[in-house]
Amino acid sequence: MKRSLFFLLFLSVSFLVFPHNDAKGETDYAGAETCKSCHEASYESYSKSIHGKKVVPNNPANDKGCETCHGLGASHVEKGGGRGVGEFIIFSKKESAEEKSAVCLNCHETSKKLALWDMGQHKKNDVDCTSCHNMHLGETEKQFEICVRCHKSTKIDINRQSRHPVLEGKVKCSDCHNPHGTLSHGMILTDNVNQLCYKCHADKRGPYVWEHPPVEENCSICHNPHGSKTAKLMREKIPNICEDCHDWSRHPGTIYDARTGFAGSSPSNRFFARSCTNCHSDIHGSIAPVDPSSGYNSGKVFVR
Amino acid sequence: MRLKSICLITFSLIFLSSNTSFANDPDNSDASGSIKIGARSVEGGEDSAKLWEYRDLRDGAVGNVKLNIDKESYFLNMTGKSIGLDDQFFRVKGGRYGHYNYSIYYDEIVHNLSFRNKTFYSGIGSGSLDYYAANRSANTDSSYTPNIPTTEFLWSKFDYSTNRRDMGLTFDIKFDSPYYLTVKASQIETKGIKPIGSPSGVYVDRTGTQTSAFGNLIEIPAPIDYWTKNISLEGGYKTKGFVGSVNLLFSKFENPNDFLRWRNPYVTTSSVYEKTSLPPDNDYYKLSAQGVLKQLPMNSSLSINAGYSNIKNSLSMLNTITSSASGTATTTPTYFTETLGLNNSTYTGDISYTTASLALTAKPRDLLDLKLYYNYLKKDNKSTLIEYTDLTTGGKVDSELFNYSKNNFGLDADYKLSSVTKAAIGYEYLKIDRERNDAKSTSDNSVYAEVKNNSFDFLTAKLKYQRLWRSSDFKNDTLGTGTTDVNYIRRFLRRFDATDKTMDLLKLGFDIYAAEHLDIGLEYTYKTNDYNTTKLGRTKDKRDEYYVDAVYEYPDRLKLTGFVDYETAKYDSYHRYINPTGTYSYDPDSAPVINSYNWASILEDKNWSVGAGVEMPVRKDKLDVAASWTYAEADGRNDFTSQNNIGNPLDINIYDDYKKHTLNVKAIYRFVKNMNIIGGYAYESMEYKDEQYDGYEYVMTTATSPNSYLTGAYKDRNYNANIVYLLTSYNF
């Protein structure tokens, strides 16, 4: 009895003194060379990518290689391999966006680009890192081609007759948006729309003596920055968009119908060619007070 | 030496020296890259700025280069595209992994608006436009013809086009600590010519009398010569639990042409010069700070952002206008202060923005995500208030400094109802207070509900509904002394961006994984705005969009893509025409008469887009081909009705109608290990029609009003072009 008690006590002490190996031991990892033996193409693409460069500090190449991201491989190998065998993360549709992103955030969480990831619409809508980034193949598509996989309406807009040079590669989605998250609506890079537009269109900053209030408040009241069938990225044709806010004696309350075009019976320079902006050229703002010959010809109404 | 040539030579020297460095120490370096050189020929479309809108499509040589070098812990990437052309791009990126990186770039963006425009003015592209014509005492012919060369073929030809050169550098330092520093500097130079127009203000009629003019138009080429210089500094601190940064930005915009000075062709008795204002210089700075706390209880993150920015300029008001009242330039200070009643000879522009944002995300339960946010923005316009006397009415007019503030907060909640269903609801409030004499404030209340389900392995379905209520505080109810006072109409006029409305948005989407390599997407969007208190202005708008796409991708074998999109948009509006002579009223509820009546407009757009693409290896590791085709069609119309059919308005049937084809075919043949031959063909066409441009005239003559003079801006949108190119690519 005493011997049995002593043996039990010895076992208990041993159990307490010698730590359980809940931590992953080296035997749980298969090693990158083992992965390569079956997944040569994936290994080659990984080794050529930035993740595979040993000179980059804290890289998977300096850690557990493939298993840094995909998880422990030993059990997968022991069971003879195969799809879904072992405790793997294969970044498929079966894993949640949060699970997949957590792998990347393990290393990249301190990146300043990802500071606001938790606040962004992409995380909220279950977009994960692999939705846009291909770790093995790198950049195989142009940036906008990745974005329009989900933003289908924008894909149509950037191909309309009036647009920014996105298709030519001169403007990228990330020139205006931060896909990793911001505090702004639409995940734009700045606090509001106008500050964003002024980055490239500083000529619209003013300050102007005469301001056009909707211009000052939000450029996107009149313009669709992704693209439009109407010139100058206007959401609606001129004079229609102007007449939606303005009515007065004579024009702009006049009907500018089919008679008022060049080929019509009563051509009007308030309709043909550039319509209202034929005369109201300084529509974003003016610094001229008045044409003394006519009080109507003034900066206040943006004709000077 | 041209800046373009300097950049090309500098890039070439860096490229060659990098290759030399690699060649001298190949064992410790790893280099790869490609050089593509070839030729291109374009047939057709030379007269259309639309084809060339953002591209330099000259016949001749084309070339791109790429180089990547890794040497120990250092790296260098170089890219050159469209070398030597007006849309060329260069970039050098490099650094030391984990320590610092830098990027230097030079990018040219061409924007062609229209070609072969013409004008009787000389000095095109400068800030002063003139023409020679002898003065005469009066117009002697029956039409109101100014004294300019009226024969168009004698006018000077030019292009409306801008060329933008954007160059900059970024330097990022990661210290051996959580601290980092980023420095950015850039310069954007934009030069070119754009169209503007002005009414003449006056003209001299057949009797020799100078009359205030309200009906004529001169379209004129205005110079673009803009410089924007930016520099920013960002210092930050980042750990897993906290990221903080402070950012300072300076930006300077310069335009040497405050005005476009142009001779007024409608004043025939003497040479009178007008001025139209151009964008003024400005200085801008912004200071902002941001902090993000992570790993808080309940898996929370808290983010705070605050910023202050300021835009300033200073202008002399005495330079801003020349007077055509007496036919001579009058710029004396006493004229401006006594005759015009100008209250200040100098305008100081001073606008500041204060912003603040706060957001809290949390996961209080395993299946529940919450987000609470608040945003604040205030615009303060502390610019000089400019006042002058309106010579037509004798009254005082001031510049109405526009200020506003925005307060916005919202709550989003996402909940996993089950392993296959996720629901989200949200509420948002936005209040805008404006210093404006009509729409003082608007308040938006918005709610949404969304559900996503993937009960079946092959299908994900999403449905979202959003409703917004906007109420506004318009202060125009007592304007106008009576129904024949023009200000009376403002009681009924609503600006659509600042008036009461309800908005409904519905989005439905399906992602179907139809087979192992086949994905199909379906999406429907419906959005409508009902401006329910608007009597005059936009009353309703609506948008429907249907989208279908499919991708079949068998890796390394075949990729097929296709899509179809159909969209309709409709804008309803209601207006009043008033000719203030005889019997008329500004009240839209009064009986219609010939001089005042209501009319309605329905603007409708229909848009089609179709596309297909194929990529496949014809012979493995030897020959790949790719082809794509897209077709876009737009069809617009504007229908009118008027009370008692007064004026018998005629509908517009052709309104921004176009058909656009793009076909691309490319083949890549690997004839030896590192060398490819790439051959390609593209067909592009655009057929554009619009009643605002059809039958275009440079001189528009009517019997009842003075001539209008145009230059042809935006009239060349049609094209039919065949583009062929052949490139050799060396990869290493």
Side-chain angles (χ1 to χ4, degrees):
Chain A
M1 183 67 170
K2 275 189 187 175
R3 223 180 277 171
S4 305
L5 281 171
F6 177 76
F7 182 67
L8 280 170
L9 183 64
F10 174 77
L11 279 177
S12 304
V13 169
S14 304
F15 196 73
L16 286 168
V17 167
F18 293 103
H20 296 291
N21 200 2
D22 287 331
K24 300 175 181 64
E26 289 301 318
T27 54
D28 295 314
Y29 290 97
E33 289 298 316
T34 307
C35 305
K36 183 184 174 183
S37 62
C38 295
H39 303 282
E40 187 168 353
S42 296
Y43 180 86
E44 288 302 320
S45 60
Y46 149 75
S47 60
K48 285 178 186 166
S49 74
I50 194 161
H51 283 150
K53 292 183 197 296
K54 282 187 183 282
V55 294
V56 180
N58 306 314
N59 231 11
N62 296 313
D63 193 357
K64 299 296 178 199
C66 313
E67 293 160 284
T68 311
C69 300
H70 289 286
L72 304 171
S75 65
H76 172 78
V77 173
E78 281 161 20
K79 289 170 186 172
R83 188 179 281 273
V85 174
E87 302 163 20
F88 260 168
I89 298 172
I90 59 171
F91 298 95
S92 69
K93 294 183 180 77
K94 291 192 187 305
E95 291 134 344
S96 73
E98 202 168 344
E99 283 171 338
K100 288 184 272 190
S101 294
V103 172
C104 309
L105 289 171
N106 206 31
C107 295
H108 292 287
E109 194 174 13
T110 55
S111 164
K112 61 175 177 169
K113 287 184 186 173
L114 289 166
L116 293 170
W117 172 249
D118 289 334
M119 313 296 167
Q121 287 295 307
H122 277 160
K123 185 190 175 187
K124 178 182 167 7
N125 288 293
D126 298 327
V127 176
D128 66 85
C129 309
T130 61
S131 303
C132 304
H133 297 282
N134 188 322
M135 311 308 162
H136 282 268
L137 298 178
E139 285 178 23
T140 57
E141 291 170 286
K142 291 179 188 166
Q143 191 192 79
F144 76 85
E145 289 173 335
I146 297 170
C147 304
V148 299
R149 275 191 231 146
C150 297
H151 299 282
K152 303 183 199 285
S153 181
T154 308
K155 172 181 172 170
I156 303 302
D157 285 344
I158 61 175
N159 196 36
R160 295 201 198 273
Q161 74 128 342
S162 177
R163 56 189 179 81
H164 279 113
V166 175
L167 300 177
E168 291 80 2
K170 294 296 182 180
V171 172
K172 300 193 300 292
C173 306
S174 59
D175 287 333
C176 299
H177 300 277
N178 183 352
H180 299 120
T182 70
L183 297 178
S184 313
H185 285 74
M187 296 209 294
I188 60 172
L189 291 169
T190 53
D191 298 321
N192 68 338
V193 168
N194 282 34
Q195 289 189 5
L196 180 66
C197 303
Y198 295 156
K199 276 176 59 187
C200 295
H201 300 286
D203 53 307
K204 306 293 187 292
R205 280 202 295 236
Y208 292 103
V209 175
W210 306 100
E211 293 174 300
H212 193 183
V215 169
E216 288 296 309
E217 204 175 303
N218 192 335
C219 306
S220 63
I221 288 172
C222 296
H223 298 282
N224 181 350
H226 294 131
S228 172
K229 75 185 281 281
T230 298
K232 312 299 264 179
L233 299 172
M234 298 298 294
R235 290 189 183 272
E236 197 187 352
K237 204 107 160 82
I238 300 173
N240 300 68
I241 196 169
C242 308
E243 288 177 321
D244 279 350
C245 292
H246 296 282
D247 206 334
W248 204 242
S249 67
R250 298 192 183 92
H251 102 288
T254 305
I255 301 179
Y256 296 113
D257 65 0
R259 293 189 183 87
T260 53
F262 283 107
S265 57
S266 182
S268 169
N269 56 30
R270 284 90 184 244
F271 177 73
F272 61 59
R274 296 178 302 113
S275 190
C276 308
T277 54
N278 279 335
C279 292
H280 299 276
S281 284
D282 283 339
I283 202 66
H284 295 106
S286 171
I287 57 176
V290 65
D291 175 348
S293 61
S294 166
Y296 293 117
N297 278 347
S298 70
K300 184 175 171 68
V301 293
F302 311 117
V303 298
R304 283 288 188 271
Chain B
M1 194 179 212
R2 291 189 66 202
L3 182 59
K4 196 185 290 190
S5 305
I6 293 171
C7 290
L8 182 56
I9 292 167
T10 306
F11 183 83
S12 304
L13 287 171
I14 296 173
F15 183 83
L16 288 168
S17 65
S18 304
N19 268 300
T20 306
S21 167
F22 161 70
N24 286 341
D25 188 13
D27 292 333
N28 287 325
S29 307
D30 182 22
S32 65
S34 66
I35 301 173
K36 279 183 194 165
I37 299 175
R40 172 178 63 198
S41 173
V42 181
E43 180 273 324
E46 295 87 359
D47 293 341
S48 170
K50 203 65 186 165
L51 174 70
W52 292 61
E53 185 171 13
Y54 292 116
R55 298 180 286 185
D56 181 351
L57 289 175
R58 278 176 280 175
D59 288 349
V62 289
N64 297 338
V65 296
K66 226 176 206 180
L67 174 67
N68 303 307
I69 298 179
D70 279 300
K71 187 170 177 179
E72 293 162 2
S73 61
Y74 296 90
F75 69 95
L76 180 71
N77 308 127
M78 300 179 63
T79 305
K81 292 181 185 172
S82 301
I83 297 169
L85 299 175
D86 286 340
D87 53 359
Q88 63 183 341
F89 169 79
F90 301 100
R91 186 178 61 201
V92 176
K93 274 169 70 169
R96 187 176 178 199
Y97 292 115
H99 291 268
Y100 65 87
N101 58 63
Y102 60 87
S103 171
I104 305 167
Y105 68 88
Y106 174 82
D107 193 12
E108 286 196 36
I109 305 174
V110 63
H111 190 185
N112 293 307
L113 306 173
S114 58
F115 292 156
R116 293 179 175 77
N117 307 285
K118 41 193 177 183
T119 180
F120 50 82
Y121 283 105
S122 60
I124 300 163
S126 74
S128 184
L129 299 177
D130 207 344
Y131 66 88
Y132 174 73
N135 296 330
R136 59 171 190 258
S137 58
N139 287 316
T140 54
D141 50 25
S142 58
S143 63
Y144 304 104
T145 309
N147 56 343
I148 57 166
T150 55
T151 315
E152 291 157 30
F153 75 85
L154 292 177
W155 293 2
S156 304
K157 290 194 174 49
F158 66 98
D159 296 334
Y160 283 121
S161 172
T162 62
N163 195 291
R164 185 186 173 105
R165 293 177 183 176
D166 188 353
M167 59 198 89
L169 67 91
T170 303
F171 198 76
D172 229 320
I173 306 172
K174 297 176 182 59
F175 300 102
D176 277 339
S177 65
Y179 294 98
Y180 70 88
L181 179 68
T182 302
V183 179
K184 289 184 187 176
S186 67
Q187 176 178 284
I188 303 171
E189 176 196 338
T190 309
K191 284 187 189 294
I193 303 172
K194 66 172 182 177
I196 66 170
S198 277
S200 75
V202 291
Y203 75 97
V204 177
D205 68 17
R206 283 171 290 154
T207 66
T209 304
Q210 184 162 290
T211 309
S212 172
F214 198 65
N216 48 16
L217 158 71
I218 289 279
E219 184 172 76
I220 38 184
I224 294 177
D225 188 5
Y226 305 155
W227 293 78
T228 309
K229 293 165 188 165
N230 306 307
I231 184 161
S232 73
L233 291 165
E234 179 182 336
Y237 178 90
K238 48 190 179 73
T239 62
K240 282 207 170 187
F242 174 73
V243 180
S245 65
V246 176
N247 195 308
L248 183 59
L249 164 71
F250 287 104
S251 176
K252 191 173 185 66
F253 172 77
E254 289 171 313
N255 176 13
N257 300 300
D258 284 342
F259 298 96
L260 177 63
R261 181 177 170 271
W262 48 280
R263 183 175 169 185
N264 188 335
Y266 295 95
V267 179
T268 56
T269 52
S270 58
S271 300
V272 168
Y273 291 85
E274 305 285 354
K275 279 182 175 177
T276 300
S277 67
L278 296 175
D281 295 352
N282 58 66
D283 291 328
Y284 172 78
Y285 80 85
K286 182 174 180 183
L287 177 64
S288 60
Q290 181 174 283
V292 185
L293 278 167
K294 300 184 184 185
Q295 299 177 342
L296 297 173
M298 289 193 290
N299 279 320
S300 306
S301 293
L302 175 68
S303 176
I304 300 173
N305 184 2
Y308 178 84
S309 63
N310 183 262
I311 311 171
K312 270 196 166 80
N313 63 8
S314 182
L315 307 162
S316 167
M317 298 308 295
L318 301 185
N319 293 336
T320 58
I321 198 72
T322 54
S323 165
S324 54
S326 59
T328 56
T330 307
T331 54
T332 58
T334 52
Y335 179 84
F336 274 85
T337 53
E338 290 174 16
T339 309
L340 297 186
L342 193 65
N343 68 330
N344 234 305
S345 60
T346 303
Y347 167 78
T348 301
D350 185 350
I351 294 177
S352 61
Y353 291 88
T354 305
T355 57
S357 296
L358 183 143
L360 173 67
T361 62
K363 201 180 178 84
R365 295 264 172 92
D366 231 8
L367 305 173
L368 177 64
D369 289 296
L370 296 174
K371 180 182 173 186
L372 189 64
Y373 59 90
Y374 171 73
N375 297 301
Y376 171 78
L377 181 146
K378 183 168 168 49
K379 178 197 169 190
D380 265 313
N381 190 343
K382 293 168 282 195
S383 306
T384 310
L385 183 73
I386 295 295
E387 192 182 83
Y388 70 92
T389 303
D390 185 333
L391 295 179
T392 301
T393 63
K396 284 288 184 191
V397 182
D398 69 58
S399 55
E400 296 175 30
L401 301 176
F402 179 56
N403 297 285
Y404 67 89
S405 65
K406 291 185 180 179
N407 279 281
N408 163 237
F409 69 81
L411 170 67
D412 294 327
D414 291 44
Y415 188 73
K416 270 197 184 134
L417 296 171
S418 69
S419 62
V420 295
T421 305
K422 184 177 172 183
I425 56 171
Y427 167 76
E428 185 174 14
Y429 175 77
L430 169 66
K431 182 144 196 281
I432 304 177
D433 290 299
R434 303 179 184 89
E435 279 184 37
R436 190 167 137 172
N437 58 14
D438 53 356
K440 295 284 184 197
S441 70
T442 51
S443 300
D444 289 0
N445 287 278
S446 169
V447 294
Y448 77 87
E450 196 173 358
V451 65
K452 182 177 163 187
N453 177 277
N454 51 344
S455 298
F456 303 105
D457 279 346
F458 64 89
L459 176 68
T460 301
K462 290 172 280 192
L463 177 66
K464 178 179 179 178
Y465 173 72
Q466 182 181 359
R467 170 93 167 176
L468 179 145
W469 296 266
R470 172 174 293 165
S471 61
S472 68
D473 182 20
F474 263 76
K475 290 293 186 202
N476 292 349
D477 294 346
T478 56
L479 289 176
T481 53
T483 58
T484 54
D485 175 1
V486 67
N487 286 296
Y488 194 85
I489 198 172
R490 292 166 62 189
R491 297 186 183 202
F492 310 99
L493 189 58
R494 296 282 184 264
R495 272 70 170 171
F496 69 89
D497 63 301
T499 187
D500 302 66
K501 75 172 188 182
T502 52
M503 184 210 78
D504 290 289
L505 170 70
L506 180 74
K507 269 190 171 175
L508 178 63
F510 297 98
D511 291 316
I512 304 168
Y513 317 109
E516 192 180 345
H517 303 291
L518 177 62
D519 294 337
I520 297 173
L522 299 162
E523 198 171 284
Y524 171 67
T525 305
Y526 171 85
K527 184 177 178 184
T528 182
N529 287 299
D530 191 355
Y531 305 92
N532 35 34
T533 60
T534 297
K535 201 136 189 184
L536 296 178
R538 188 188 292 180
T539 53
K540 192 171 181 177
D541 62 61
K542 192 172 81 154
R543 183 177 148 249
D544 279 277
E545 186 171 6
Y546 305 83
Y547 181 92
V548 178
D549 70 1
V551 178
Y552 176 80
E553 186 166 6
Y554 200 108
D556 300 325
R557 298 259 183 105
L558 178 67
K559 183 176 179 181
L560 294 170
T561 58
F563 74 90
V564 179
D565 180 89
Y566 176 65
E567 184 190 13
T568 64
K570 196 162 163 251
Y571 301 87
D572 295 0
S573 55
Y574 202 65
H575 312 270
R576 184 161 183 81
Y577 168 76
I578 304 100
N579 177 6
T581 53
T583 304
Y584 67 92
S585 169
Y586 287 99
D587 183 353
D589 291 329
S590 61
V593 294
I594 192 75
N595 285 330
S596 58
Y597 57 88
N598 300 332
W599 57 275
S601 161
I602 299 176
L603 172 64
E604 201 167 347
D605 289 328
K606 291 179 185 172
N607 303 279
W608 279 100
S609 289
V610 179
V614 60
E615 292 170 32
M616 60 184 282
V618 174
R619 199 169 146 204
K620 189 171 157 52
D621 297 329
K622 207 69 179 168
L623 177 64
D624 295 333
V625 297
S628 68
W629 167 74
T630 56
Y631 172 72
E633 182 176 328
D635 184 8
R637 61 177 297 111
N638 199 174
D639 294 340
F640 302 97
T641 53
S642 63
Q643 285 180 310
N644 298 344
N645 200 33
I646 298 173
N648 188 24
L650 200 61
D651 295 340
I652 297 170
N653 297 317
I654 302 171
Y655 220 24
D656 271 339
D657 289 4
Y658 63 85
K659 293 178 184 174
K660 190 172 150 193
H661 285 270
T662 310
L663 172 69
N664 280 292
V665 180
K666 185 167 82 170
I668 303 173
Y669 178 70
R670 291 178 200 84
F671 70 92
V672 290
K673 189 183 169 198
N674 291 337
M675 287 191 73
N676 301 334
I677 292 179
I678 304 164
Y681 166 76
Y683 169 73
E684 299 188 25
S685 76
M686 169 88 138
E687 185 191 325
Y688 176 83
K689 290 180 188 172
D690 188 300
E691 296 202 30
Q692 287 181 316
Y693 283 88
D694 291 349
Y696 195 96
E697 303 273 355
Y698 289 85
V699 180
M700 231 20 238
T701 302
T702 67
T704 55
S705 62
N707 291 350
S708 293
Y709 294 90
L710 301 168
T711 58
Y714 303 111
K715 69 180 284 288
D716 55 342
R717 284 185 245 205
N718 292 332
Y719 57 81
N720 239 302
N722 296 285
I723 303 168
V724 176
Y725 59 90
L726 189 66
L727 303 167
T728 302
S729 166
Y730 172 68
N731 306 307
F732 55 90

